[in-house]
Amino acid sequence: MPIGSDFSVDRATGDIRHTSGTDNYTVIELHRWLQDVADDASYSGDDELDITDPTPSERSTDNIITLINGYNIDDATSQYLYDGSIIQDDGDTIYDGILVFANAGMYLNIIQNGALATNFWTTGINADAANGISHRFLLKVRDSGTDIDGRRIIGTTREFGFTYSEFKINGTSRGNNVLALTYASDLNNQTASGTVATWSDITNTSTGYNGIDVNNDASDEYFYSEWNRAARSVNDFYERMKYLTRRGESTTLYGIQGQIFRGITHEIVIDNPTGTFDAVESISWTGGTGQMLAINSPTAGTKMWIQLLTGVPPTNNQLITGGSSGATCLVNVTVTERTISQPFCGVSTGSALIGAYGFGVESTDLTSADKVFDLDNTQFSPPNFQTGTVAGLVSGEDYVIVAPNDGGNIEFDQFTLNGALTGAAVTSVVVNGSIPADTPSSGTIRILRANGVYTRHAYTSWSGSTFTIGSTDFSSNNAANGANTFITYIDKLASSTSESFSAVFTAPRSMFIRVRDGGVTPIKTFETTTTFGSGGFSVTASRISDI
Amino acid sequence: MANVTITVDSNHDDLTSRAAGENITINSGAKLTIDSIIHLTPRGIMGLITCNDGEIHIDGTRTFEVAYSGGSGTLVAVGDVITWNGGADSGKVIQLNSGNNVAGVLTLTKDVGDTTPDDADVITDGAWSADIDSVKVGYLIFYGEDQDWVAPDAKATLRITGDWYVAGVGTGADSQSITLPHAGHQHCVWVETGNGTDVYEKWHRISSAASTVFYDSFAEFGTHYESGKVFQQTFGSSTLTFGTSTGGGNPPNGARIRIPNVHLGTTTVGTPTTEVNSTTIGAHFKPIADNTTENVFLDHVNFSSVQLSLIQTNGATISDSCFGLAVANFLQRNNSPVTMNNVAFVQPSVNTTGGLAASVAYTITDNLGGITLTDTLWYGGVDSTTAGALYLTTMANITFEGITKVALSITDENTSYTIRSTQSSNVVFNGELILLGGGIIASAGSNDWYFEYLKFGYPPNRGTTEQNQNCLALTGCDTWQMDAFNLVNGGKFPTLGLFLLTDCANIILRNAGTISSKIDGGNRLTYIVSFAGITQNVKMQRLWFTNINGQEEVFLGVNSVTNILIENCSANYNSEIEADINNTIIRGVHAASGALDSTSGWEGDNNNVVGTVFHDYFTSNTAGALGLLFNAPGNVHAADVEITAGTPIWNGLGDLLMRTSGDQVIYTWPYLIKGHTAFQNAALTAAGVNHLTNHTYEYSIRPIGGDWSAWATANGANLSAETIDPAGFSFRLRITCSSTSTTNAIKNLAILTDTTLTDQNDNLYPLEVVPVIITVLDVNTNLPVENARVFLETSPGAVEIFNDLTNSSGIVQNLEYGYTSNTSVVGRVRKGSSAPYYKTSPISGTITSNGFEVTVFLIPDE
């Protein structure tokens, strides 16, 4: 239909209105139509515009049209226009063009001024699939002389089963503003939504600032969440996170509807705190609002982490006020924008999680394949503990030793002593070189004594080049400087049918294994070599009677 | 006794050493005051006054005429001092008019005090006293010898001041007579238009005895101011006689009749109270000598038997006065301002029993300074072709204001004109100019004349001998404009015509009568305008006449005349229009109701006429037509007459020859056709050979602000179905030869229309047209932009001027925009309907008397 059939012009009010039809028109088509009728000798029908009327529109480009002399469209009419901007009311009202590059069918949402904008475009409008364009429409970005949230918008797609993505425009410009969004089937998100909806055992056990010792180093790392994936796989967990933030999800996370929850956008160094901040609460400052997701101390915080909702981030010395607590603090110079992830939890590899910034999971729910990033944006993963097992043993009869292999024998000179051991109460054994990382945190070593015997010593810990052993008298049978020393990963009389040790796998290590039973029912000595690899090892001793 | 020289301010009565006829010399800036009737004093009549340095002041402003009664004692004498107001005010007796010591009338001049005597006062000189019965402005007579006073330079001033003297009161009766306070010549009296109206008209003197040269009978004048209102007075008699209600007019009952109270006359020492009525100009007292440079102030004075000369004065200011004799070229070489207000010039006429001598016409010449004459009356004439009542020659810059009446006094109606002009330019008649008894004849060099309202005609009982008179008979004149015209009230037209233009250029004649009240030609006028010689650029606009003599050709012309516009004019509906004139548009005229090419229609046999093609006219109060003459279109209509196929030709005899099938011409009327309300359901009419059978006629119409309609066959059914706006529409006619013939010829054509007088009157063609041209160019290429919509309207007012598309030259124009005053306009140019598109561009400016022409550059919008 010609545009004139669908639109009307009221010369008295300047109202340009969509009156019928479902066709949409570009802004240049609107302009051309207005100019077309405006140069008519006299108007007809409901297009009350002709040469006697003031000029209705001006074209800056084909994508920037200004309605002048009081001519105007309303929001409803704007929904039938696309491919550019309409400026009116002497610039007090602006509809900017939004052009979305995405795969066809993508359901788009626009977050504007902290909420979802009225959505009339859904899975596509004025698409141009050949050029990868899924949507083209106008969005009001300025009203009554004031920019709507500084004309900032975020385009999001959070369609369950598909990749989530978002694209931020920090202030639309006149013409078309591009949103480029990824929209593809998410192979790690193939579980039916209804199914995932039932996985309510996945919970966030701790909102706000909390510490988790992810890497098992007895020192906590800090996150703004601590999710418990219960017995679900890590991918299940991932799908649940997507579910909680999918399109249409109004259940809140951290006080924000799931469908617009994005995670931490800014880390803010603060000082001069007053009062007690809630663990999570809304905050505001001159020029913006946000949702605080974490603060490192409710009363004496030095950092807080927020999701920016409206406006611009606070700047140095701006006062931040808690919305519910009333607590305040000042920005202390540094505001760091953090990269958000879509979904907010991070990425699933199917078997592991690559967590988003600050996103925390219970340490017990992590594996060494998982990676998380604490609020300092430092990556952490749990250690790769592997087990070396020698089975086929007879408890109480078989003595087992597992030591580093050196050509089919024990590598006696795995270390050499760095200093003779001569004291009567030696607790530290210092070796030359560094003790390898795959050394069990506690275990046994053997040291060549002056009498030629490699004596067994239990160590309780090690660090660097030093093993800590229980107090031992070396004064009468000391160990010379440079004496051989080696780790025995298992060095004991079997107390069950198998013995094992646990160590952090870092690289394959060749092991020498020896099993002997010289007792009542002796066996031939069993010796073998194996490798402590990424899966540890498991060796079954062959007990051949030596009777 | 001896001549007197004064060097200090002096009252003439105190110059006791001077005797009658003796002279006075004024030096050293002295002022001589004359406030007595000097011939009644011991000083006697005046001789020569030589004013080397000073002022002569004849003062009638303090003169009062007192009627008294109940007097006792010895009557006062002229020159005696008398008092009134209990002695607080005093004056001197200057005349004992009548009566004796008991009752009578005397005239005094107030000298002391500021209280005018009134009927509550007692007047006395101590020895005589009387009650005052009434007091009015008195009459001051000043007689001088036949002398030309001398005033060698601008250090001299002649000042005469006075007031109105009521000489009588009208009775309303025919032939009323009043007695004047003198027996000289009263050239003009001011008669109130009714009892107490305080509005006065100037009635002038006419010859008072049988004459074969001058009009001397009241019956030869009308009774309206424009055609009559005259009186007779015989020189030497103090009796003034008015005419009748059928000739000359009679003063209304109760109307005051007044005259200036200062009277100047020529007498002699021997007979000091008898004015000289000589037949020679040189025998008269002339207080303003020729070629003086003195300053002249004349107010309320009647130059009875005194010659007026304003030659080379250092400016003259004259008001409420009347004059008779004048020297040749009486207003000459005044390069300082001369102003007159309410002044009458009534030329003496030869009269065997009492008139003054025939003289020359009142001639104004060699003036370059500003002359402003307000409410003046000129009556006279010279029986020759070299002068009229008023003769303007070799001068410039004169403005007449108010009501100017120029009446011819002599009976030679064929050769005499009221105004004759040679080489006189910048002559402006604001207000009304009444030409009675003759028109204006002007010759080459008489340029730049303007008439705001011209009235012309003959008194009702005259005009029996004239044969050659025109209202305007111009030869070689340039730039004349008449903004309104009418027949003088109670008058009639000559038998020839009104406007004869020979070798003239840039003439505008407009506004005579109205469409609903046409001026009755009295079945006398044979033409309204006749063009002759090489005349060009003439506009005749809204000249509404009827009852023209027979079916004469009312707009005469020859093919040496060019660029004529005749619009909204009328003759008889059955008058023939003979448009043997080049480049002529005739539109909205009432005439030519007869058949084409007949003596009551449009003359078709135009020989070698170029550019006279288009017209529209009305043949009755309800019918009209659009018409074509098939003269060669010439350059002026090169764009309006377009040969679109074949080889049509014009044969120079008013025929369009299209002799080969397919020959085609489109005629586009070059103006907005106004006043027609519909097309008649009638076939197109034309003359010629095979003009209907071998040709097809199609038309297209464009309403104001609209677009051209599709071509349609020009038959009655189609045409009558069209809606046309009497405010105007554009029209074009496409003529195609449909059958080859060597005899094909179309001569004259008409498409019949309907009309009403109201629609015509509401949609007259504009009087002043100026070009309004908008040229639209591409800002980048400077090439014309075609089909851009141009809108232009007045601001304020929002009267639409343009709402049109540009042509291939990027132009929208109206070469005939009706201009009335400078008009601000605003508008815009748009092109948004088809590529290339352009941004709207505004238009703003002012339509001036030069029109409005602007180039609009459009910025591409793509």
Side-chain angles (χ1 to χ4, degrees):
Chain A
M1 294 292 289
I3 184 171
S5 300
D6 292 352
F7 282 69
S8 68
V9 180
D10 186 325
R11 71 189 326 169
T13 63
D15 290 348
I16 301 165
R17 295 293 180 269
H18 180 263
T19 56
S20 64
T22 57
D23 291 340
N24 298 330
Y25 303 92
T26 63
V27 294
I28 188 63
E29 287 175 326
L30 174 70
H31 172 65
R32 292 286 179 235
W33 170 66
L34 291 172
Q35 295 299 312
D36 184 8
V37 294
D39 78 356
D40 288 347
S42 58
Y43 81 87
S44 61
D46 62 1
D47 302 333
E48 295 178 351
L49 187 59
D50 60 37
I51 189 69
T52 67
D53 294 299
T55 301
S57 59
E58 286 182 343
R59 168 193 168 277
S60 300
T61 70
D62 282 357
N63 307 109
I64 302 176
I65 304 300
T66 302
L67 301 179
I68 58 177
N69 295 313
Y71 290 93
N72 66 90
I73 61 172
D74 60 7
D75 293 352
T77 300
S78 73
Q79 297 180 9
Y80 294 90
L81 299 171
Y82 67 99
D83 198 24
S85 290
I86 296 291
I87 306 161
Q88 63 188 39
D89 302 333
D90 296 326
D92 284 349
T93 302
I94 298 174
Y95 298 87
D96 273 337
I98 305 298
L99 186 153
V100 183
F101 285 106
N103 288 335
M106 182 200 72
Y107 197 108
L108 173 72
N109 265 326
I110 298 286
I111 300 174
Q112 183 181 39
N113 202 27
L116 292 182
T118 300
N119 193 326
F120 59 88
W121 49 82
T122 65
T123 58
I125 186 170
N126 307 310
D128 180 2
N131 290 303
I133 296 170
S134 60
H135 299 73
R136 285 181 291 178
F137 56 92
L138 302 191
L139 183 71
K140 182 186 275 188
V141 297
R142 183 175 174 84
D143 190 20
S144 302
T146 302
D147 288 342
I148 300 173
D149 193 17
R151 306 192 313 279
R152 285 175 284 272
I153 61 171
I154 302 170
T156 70
T157 178
R158 295 185 179 183
E159 202 65 11
F160 198 74
F162 292 84
T163 52
Y164 287 7
S165 67
E166 72 173 44
F167 197 98
K168 185 168 61 176
I169 297 175
N170 285 323
T172 57
S173 300
R174 304 299 81 75
N176 281 322
N177 294 268
V178 171
L179 296 174
L181 292 167
T182 300
Y183 176 68
S185 180
D186 186 349
L187 299 179
N188 293 319
N189 182 202
Q190 296 300 303
T191 306
S193 175
T195 301
V196 178
T198 65
W199 297 346
S200 57
D201 52 349
I202 298 176
T203 60
N204 186 6
T205 60
S206 179
T207 57
Y209 190 77
N210 71 91
I212 305 170
D213 183 10
V214 173
N215 59 354
N216 197 34
D217 63 352
S219 177
D220 284 343
E221 293 81 45
Y222 289 91
F223 302 86
Y224 74 97
S225 65
E226 184 173 12
W227 287 89
N228 174 13
R229 62 180 168 92
R232 307 290 175 184
S233 70
V234 70
N235 199 68
D236 290 347
F237 174 75
Y238 168 78
E239 289 190 285
R240 177 66 178 176
M241 295 301 103
K242 289 189 71 177
Y243 179 83
L244 294 178
T245 55
R246 77 194 187 286
R247 175 180 64 82
E249 179 57 67
S250 59
T251 302
T252 60
L253 290 173
Y254 295 84
I256 303 171
Q257 285 189 8
Q259 61 186 335
I260 60 174
F261 183 78
R262 302 170 62 223
I264 292 170
T265 59
H266 293 83
E267 173 188 334
I268 304 170
V269 179
I270 59 175
D271 58 11
N272 296 304
T274 66
T276 303
F277 281 98
D278 294 342
V280 171
E281 66 175 319
S282 64
I283 56 172
S284 64
W285 59 92
T286 301
T289 64
Q291 189 75 5
M292 188 186 74
L293 305 184
I295 184 169
N296 59 1
S297 170
T299 58
T302 59
K303 279 187 179 179
M304 68 167 54
W305 292 264
I306 70 168
Q307 176 180 329
L308 182 66
L309 296 178
T310 65
V312 294
T315 57
N316 185 34
N317 280 330
Q318 267 201 301
L319 181 69
I320 299 173
T321 303
S324 58
S325 69
T328 65
C329 62
L330 298 179
V331 175
N332 183 13
V333 180
T334 305
V335 176
T336 304
E337 182 171 6
R338 292 300 184 183
T339 301
I340 62 168
S341 299
Q342 299 97 36
F344 76 105
C345 63
V347 178
S348 171
T349 65
S351 58
L353 175 71
I354 301 173
Y357 169 79
F359 181 83
V361 181
E362 288 181 344
S363 60
T364 54
D365 289 346
L366 296 173
T367 69
S368 62
D370 297 324
K371 296 183 178 68
V372 293
F373 295 83
D374 71 359
L375 290 171
D376 290 330
N377 203 25
T378 301
Q379 177 183 324
F380 291 94
S381 294
N384 188 2
F385 289 99
Q386 295 297 325
T387 301
T389 303
V390 179
L393 303 177
V394 175
S395 177
E397 293 186 9
D398 295 346
Y399 197 97
V400 182
I401 189 168
V402 177
N405 175 45
D406 182 13
N409 202 352
I410 294 171
E411 183 183 10
F412 294 103
D413 57 353
Q414 181 182 16
F415 307 111
T416 57
L417 288 176
N418 183 4
L421 302 176
T422 58
V426 173
T427 58
S428 293
V429 176
V430 180
V431 297
N432 290 309
S434 297
I435 300 170
D438 55 358
T439 302
S441 58
S442 63
T444 56
I445 57 175
R446 288 192 181 243
I447 303 171
L448 179 61
R449 305 293 284 271
N451 61 0
V453 176
Y454 286 89
T455 57
R456 177 179 179 274
H457 304 275
Y459 66 89
T460 56
S461 65
W462 61 265
S463 177
S465 299
T466 302
F467 293 97
T468 299
I469 62 176
S471 179
T472 305
D473 183 2
F474 281 87
S475 61
S476 58
N477 183 19
N478 52 29
N481 182 29
N484 289 341
T485 302
F486 61 90
I487 298 167
T488 52
Y489 298 92
I490 299 174
D491 190 356
K492 66 181 292 190
L493 180 66
S495 57
S496 68
T497 57
S498 67
E499 292 291 344
S500 64
F501 70 92
S502 178
V504 175
F505 169 79
T506 57
R509 178 176 293 280
S510 182
M511 293 292 190
F512 176 82
I513 302 168
R514 176 180 287 152
V515 178
R516 282 182 178 154
D517 178 5
V520 178
T521 55
I523 63 170
K524 295 180 184 294
T525 297
F526 171 77
E527 293 181 344
T528 188
T529 60
T530 188
T531 299
F532 184 76
S534 60
F537 68 82
S538 179
V539 173
T540 300
S542 176
R543 302 183 78 255
I544 301 172
S545 175
D546 193 25
I547 299 176
Chain B
M1 307 302 280
N3 295 332
V4 173
T5 297
I6 66 170
T7 57
V8 297
D9 292 352
S10 304
N11 189 293
H12 177 261
D13 291 342
D14 298 331
L15 304 179
T16 55
S17 62
R18 192 190 74 84
E22 290 184 337
N23 305 332
I24 297 175
T25 299
I26 302 172
N27 292 328
S28 303
K31 180 168 77 173
L32 173 64
T33 300
I34 300 170
D35 54 10
S36 294
I37 302 174
I38 62 172
H39 69 269
L40 300 181
T41 72
R43 309 288 80 74
I45 69 169
M46 186 60 68
L48 171 66
I49 295 180
T50 300
C51 186
N52 295 311
D53 179 9
E55 176 176 319
I56 306 163
H57 184 193
I58 301 174
D59 184 5
T61 62
R62 295 177 288 115
T63 303
F64 297 97
E65 185 175 291
V66 178
Y68 61 88
S69 63
S72 62
T74 302
L75 183 63
V76 293
V78 170
D80 288 350
V81 174
I82 56 174
T83 66
W84 61 91
N85 193 22
D89 302 315
S90 64
K92 60 187 176 187
V93 177
I94 63 170
Q95 184 177 18
L96 296 172
N97 302 54
S98 62
N100 51 32
N101 67 327
V102 176
V105 177
L106 63 79
T107 301
L108 61 81
T109 293
K110 182 177 69 176
D111 286 330
V112 177
D114 56 4
T115 303
T116 301
D118 59 39
D119 56 8
D121 284 330
V122 171
I123 191 169
T124 181
D125 68 343
W128 172 81
S129 66
D131 294 330
I132 296 176
D133 294 335
S134 64
V135 178
K136 69 175 185 178
V137 170
Y139 201 74
L140 182 67
I141 296 174
F142 179 89
Y143 289 144
E145 284 187 312
D146 174 16
Q147 295 283 357
D148 290 3
W149 287 359
V150 175
D153 59 37
K155 291 186 292 184
T157 296
L158 172 63
R159 186 183 307 276
I160 300 176
T161 56
D163 205 340
W164 291 114
Y165 177 82
V166 177
V169 177
T171 63
D174 287 349
S175 305
Q176 179 186 355
S177 293
I178 62 171
T179 300
L180 297 171
H182 66 86
H185 240 157
Q186 187 65 43
H187 304 301
C188 182
V189 298
W190 279 255
V191 179
E192 201 172 20
T193 56
N195 186 359
T197 65
D198 205 29
V199 176
Y200 291 86
E201 293 175 327
K202 291 184 282 291
W203 296 43
H204 66 83
R205 175 182 45 76
I206 63 172
S207 182
S208 55
S211 171
T212 58
V213 177
F214 298 98
Y215 294 114
D216 57 2
S217 165
F218 288 123
E220 292 170 317
F221 291 88
T223 58
H224 189 273
Y225 180 72
E226 296 175 1
S227 56
K229 291 197 172 177
V230 298
F231 65 85
Q232 290 180 327
Q233 184 239 340
T234 301
F235 189 85
S237 168
S238 60
T239 299
L240 182 153
T241 303
F242 293 100
T244 70
S245 60
T246 58
N250 48 4
N253 185 30
R256 285 172 288 184
I257 302 166
R258 65 189 191 182
I259 58 177
N261 79 326
V262 178
H263 180 97
L264 266 63
T266 303
T267 61
T268 60
V269 173
T271 54
T273 61
T274 301
E275 293 190 40
V276 173
N277 183 16
S278 173
T279 57
T280 59
I281 294 172
H284 294 84
F285 160 38
K286 191 160 61 175
I288 310 164
D290 298 346
N291 304 315
T292 68
T293 56
E294 68 184 316
N295 308 292
V296 176
F297 300 92
L298 306 178
D299 174 66
H300 289 91
V301 60
N302 176 37
F303 270 36
S304 172
S305 51
V306 175
Q307 275 191 302
L308 175 65
S309 172
L310 296 172
I311 300 175
Q312 206 166 295
T313 61
N314 187 43
T317 301
I318 303 173
S319 57
D320 300 327
S321 299
C322 51
F323 303 91
L325 281 172
V327 299
N329 304 325
F330 87 105
L331 183 51
Q332 183 180 8
R333 297 196 299 273
N334 279 274
N335 296 325
S336 294
V338 173
T339 61
M340 299 185 190
N341 185 13
N342 197 22
V343 176
F345 296 89
V346 182
Q347 195 180 64
S349 53
V350 170
N351 187 300
T352 56
T353 60
L356 290 173
S359 65
V360 296
Y362 291 110
T363 301
I364 303 174
T365 186
D366 295 341
N367 280 280
L368 295 175
I371 298 175
T372 303
L373 308 178
T374 303
D375 291 330
T376 55
L377 181 151
W378 309 79
Y379 179 69
V382 176
D383 187 16
S384 76
T385 58
T386 59
L390 178 60
Y391 182 31
L392 308 178
T393 179
T394 317
M395 51 75 63
N397 305 328
I398 182 168
T399 300
F400 294 84
E401 301 282 355
I403 298 175
T404 303
K405 180 178 177 180
V406 187
L408 196 62
S409 64
I410 66 173
T411 58
D412 179 1
E413 297 176 327
N414 279 327
T415 59
S416 294
Y417 283 79
T418 53
I419 298 175
R420 185 176 296 271
S421 170
T422 59
Q423 298 287 341
S424 298
S425 59
N426 295 328
V427 179
V428 175
F429 289 91
N430 291 322
E432 292 184 10
L433 170 62
I434 301 165
L435 301 178
L436 182 63
I440 296 174
I441 186 168
S443 58
S446 298
N447 301 330
D448 298 302
W449 283 53
Y450 173 74
F451 307 96
E452 184 176 359
Y453 192 178
L454 175 59
K455 295 181 177 179
F456 164 75
Y458 289 88
N461 294 324
R462 278 197 251 161
T464 57
T465 62
E466 64 80 22
Q467 297 173 353
N468 300 315
Q469 276 281 2
N470 284 273
C471 175
L472 297 178
L474 311 182
T475 300
C477 298
D478 195 333
T479 312
W480 284 52
Q481 180 168 333
M482 177 192 77
D483 272 351
F485 176 86
N486 210 340
L487 177 65
V488 295
N489 193 302
K492 65 181 181 182
F493 284 120
T495 57
L496 184 58
L498 280 180
F499 306 109
L500 174 59
L501 308 178
T502 304
D503 299 331
C504 292
N506 305 313
I507 310 296
I508 297 173
L509 305 171
R510 59 172 56 139
N511 294 323
T514 65
I515 195 169
S516 57
S517 180
K518 298 175 179 176
I519 295 175
D520 190 340
N523 198 29
R524 289 168 60 85
L525 291 173
T526 56
Y527 61 79
I528 297 170
V529 179
S530 179
F531 304 100
I534 302 173
T535 291
Q536 56 188 330
N537 300 332
V538 179
K539 292 181 180 178
M540 299 168 52
Q541 299 168 302
R542 305 184 190 180
L543 303 179
W544 300 106
F545 290 92
T546 187
N547 198 18
I548 304 301
N549 186 10
Q551 297 179 4
E552 299 293 335
E553 301 153 328
V554 292
F555 306 117
L556 292 174
V558 294
N559 63 2
S560 60
V561 175
T562 188
N563 294 336
I564 308 298
L565 173 66
I566 304 171
E567 65 183 17
N568 295 127
C569 295
S570 70
N572 300 344
Y573 276 122
N574 64 353
S575 294
E576 180 182 8
I577 296 178
E578 182 179 353
D580 288 344
I581 314 169
N582 300 301
N583 299 329
T584 296
I585 293 287
I586 299 175
R587 57 190 185 187
V589 298
H590 290 191
S593 62
L596 298 177
D597 212 17
S598 73
T599 57
S600 59
W602 281 84
E603 182 183 77
D605 56 344
N606 308 124
N607 294 328
N608 292 326
V609 173
V610 176
T612 298
V613 178
F614 299 95
H615 52 265
D616 72 278
Y617 57 108
F618 300 101
T619 55
S620 73
N621 290 351
T622 59
L626 316 184
L628 291 174
L629 293 174
F630 293 100
N631 299 309
N635 291 334
V636 70
H637 291 308
D640 308 320
V641 181
E642 181 183 10
I643 296 175
T644 51
T647 56
I649 59 172
W650 292 270
N651 66 357
L653 297 174
D655 297 323
L656 169 62
L657 308 180
M658 298 201 296
R659 292 174 171 170
T660 301
S661 180
D663 286 354
Q664 188 179 75
V665 182
I666 296 175
Y667 283 81
T668 303
W669 269 250
Y671 60 89
L672 212 57
I673 302 165
K674 292 175 172 286
H676 302 263
T677 58
F679 288 103
Q680 295 182 23
N681 188 356
L684 171 150
T685 63
V689 179
N690 302 329
H691 48 283
L692 296 178
T693 57
N694 286 0
H695 301 82
T696 61
Y697 299 86
E698 299 166 288
Y699 71 96
S700 174
I701 295 176
R702 185 175 68 175
I704 295 174
D707 296 319
W708 286 106
S709 65
W711 289 106
T713 301
N715 56 36
N718 288 340
L719 287 165
S720 62
E722 298 285 355
T723 298
I724 57 176
D725 185 349
F729 64 97
S730 297
F731 190 85
R732 56 187 179 182
L733 187 69
R734 183 162 70 186
I735 307 172
T736 307
C737 177
S738 57
S739 182
T740 300
S741 171
T742 57
T743 60
N744 284 350
I746 309 173
K747 177 189 294 293
N748 228 325
L749 178 147
I751 300 172
L752 304 183
T753 64
D754 294 329
T755 188
T756 71
L757 292 181
T758 299
D759 284 308
Q760 290 180 48
N761 190 52
D762 291 344
N763 299 287
L764 298 173
Y765 291 101
L767 291 175
E768 292 287 351
V769 296
V770 293
V772 179
I773 303 172
I774 309 295
T775 302
V776 182
L777 302 179
D778 183 295
V779 70
N780 295 324
T781 66
N782 286 341
L783 294 175
V785 178
E786 187 177 7
N787 288 325
R789 174 76 60 183
V790 176
F791 177 72
L792 192 69
E793 65 178 7
T794 62
S795 176
V799 176
E800 186 173 297
I801 299 170
F802 284 143
N803 188 344
D804 298 297
L805 297 175
T806 52
N807 61 19
S808 59
S809 299
I811 292 174
V812 167
Q813 65 182 15
N814 179 357
L815 300 179
E816 296 190 339
Y817 174 77
Y819 172 83
T820 54
S821 62
N822 285 2
T823 303
S824 295
V825 293
V826 297
R828 57 188 69 91
V829 181
R830 286 180 179 146
K831 186 172 184 297
S833 293
S834 60
Y837 302 109
Y838 290 93
K839 296 179 185 294
T840 298
S841 184
I843 306 171
S844 179
T846 301
I847 299 176
T848 69
S849 59
N850 294 322
F852 180 65
E853 187 167 359
V854 66
T855 298
V856 178
F857 288 93
L858 291 185
I859 301 171
D861 188 27
E862 50 188 341

